[in-house]
Amino acid sequence: MILCKLFGYFYKIYIEINKRKIIDFLPTIDLKTNDERLSRNEDKIDCSICLTDIDVGKQLHCGHIFHESCLEEYLLENMNLKCPVCGFIIQ
C-alpha cells in the first residue's frame, strides 16, 4: 500500500518535470517585433488563459500563443497535455 502511494507521488513529479521540459522546447514568440498584424494596427493577441495582452509568449504547434507562466500553470494543474483552446495534443 505504501509502495503504491510512493509510486504515485514519484509519477506526479515525473509528469511535472516532463511538462516543464515541453514548455522549454516550445518556440518563444516576441509579438512586439515579429507580428505583422501589430504593425498594421490590428488588435493585439490576448492570452486565452488570463485574457491579457501578450508581448512575449510560447506558441503551441496548433498556433495558439500563451504567456509562458500561464501555460506552465495550466499544464501543471491539469494532467493532460492538450491546448487549452482547441484540445490539440502538445508534443
Side-chain angles (χ1 to χ4, degrees), residues 48-49 60-66 71 74-75 80-90:
S48 297
I49 297 173
L60 302 181
H61 300 295
C62 57
H64 292 112
I65 303 171
F66 306 93
L71 186 60
Y74 171 81
L75 292 176
N80 59 30
L81 288 172
K82 295 182 179 179
C83 172
V85 175
C86 68
F88 186 85
I89 296 174
I90 302 169

Side-chain angles (χ1 to χ4, degrees), residues 6-24 71-82 90:
L6 190 59
F7 176 77
Y9 174 75
F10 284 116
Y11 181 73
K12 286 181 182 180
I13 292 174
Y14 170 78
I15 295 295
E16 287 183 18
I17 291 170
N18 282 334
K19 287 180 180 181
R20 290 178 204 268
K21 286 181 183 178
I22 288 171
I23 291 170
D24 290 341
L71 186 60
E72 183 175 340
E73 185 177 335
Y74 171 81
L75 292 176
L76 293 177
E77 287 179 2
N78 297 289
M79 289 303 289
N80 59 30
L81 288 172
K82 295 182 179 179
I90 302 169

Side-chain angles (χ1 to χ4, degrees), residues 12-59:
K12 286 181 182 180
I13 292 174
Y14 170 78
I15 295 295
E16 287 183 18
I17 291 170
N18 282 334
K19 287 180 180 181
R20 290 178 204 268
K21 286 181 183 178
I22 288 171
I23 291 170
D24 290 341
F25 284 109
L26 291 172
T28 300
I29 306 296
D30 186 352
L31 295 173
K32 293 183 286 189
T33 58
N34 292 339
D35 195 342
E36 294 177 13
R37 289 177 287 188
L38 294 180
S39 64
R40 294 190 311 239
N41 291 328
E42 292 185 17
D43 292 336
K44 289 190 171 188
I45 296 176
D46 292 337
C47 174
S48 297
I49 297 173
C50 70
L51 305 176
T52 61
D53 292 342
I54 299 175
D55 290 329
V56 177
K58 289 288 189 171
Q59 183 174 25

